[in-house]
Amino acid sequence: TFSHAQIAPVDDNGLAIGGYDVVAYFTGEATKGSDTYTTEYNGATYQFASSENLASFKAAPTKFLPQFDGYCAWGVAEKGAKFPINPETFDIVDGKLYLFFNGPFNGENFNTLLPWNGETTKLREAAHANWKKEGK
């Protein structure tokens, strides 16, 4: 059972990563932010769990932003496609945040973090190459 449906990296209301705190990922936990601590960046609203995390983001936003505009890293690598993500499924590699699809697919649960973990270096290189082809 998954606690969250797959979401777009930025929803129709402009909320980024389902309201999860992008700074908190770097502590090893997916933590929901609060509308008490918010900021806008590149047209999206980011929420944070604390004023400290908000201040850290404001000081260096690109340090905390997820790779591939928040789309599933495995999807970009393996399929050259933009898949939605489960904000509780993530990886930090070389100081960069990667998010993943983790939920029902074709009647079964599919966690794209598992194949990513099996071939992180290869898939990370493929994802960055595919993203560059997109002109990002």
Side-chain angles (χ1 to χ4, degrees), residues 10-11 13-16 39-46:
V10 177
D11 71 17
N13 296 318
L15 182 63
T39 192
E40 287 200 17
Y41 185 81
N42 282 348
T45 300
Y46 289 84

Side-chain angles (χ1 to χ4, degrees), residues 52-126:
E52 294 83 8
N53 286 6
L54 172 59
S56 293
F57 182 82
K58 283 183 169 182
T62 58
K63 176 180 176 181
F64 300 104
L65 291 173
Q67 300 299 290
F68 319 120
D69 291 344
Y71 287 99
C72 171
W74 179 88
V76 173
E78 196 65 23
K79 304 294 182 185
K82 296 177 180 176
F83 294 162
I85 48 99
N86 177 322
E88 293 192 352
T89 308
F90 69 98
D91 194 15
I92 304 288
V93 181
D94 293 336
K96 301 291 183 186
L97 172 61
Y98 296 87
L99 299 171
F100 299 89
F101 179 95
N102 180 2
F105 180 75
N106 287 340
E108 295 188 20
N109 287 325
F110 184 40
N111 181 349
T112 61
L113 181 59
L114 300 178
W116 173 270
N117 284 341
E119 300 182 290
T120 303
T121 300
K122 175 186 159 203
L123 290 171
R124 187 173 53 134
E125 289 172 2

Side-chain angles (χ1 to χ4, degrees), residues 24-36:
Y25 285 112
F26 292 85
T27 68
E29 292 193 31
T31 304
K32 196 86 159 126
S34 164
D35 57 11
T36 302

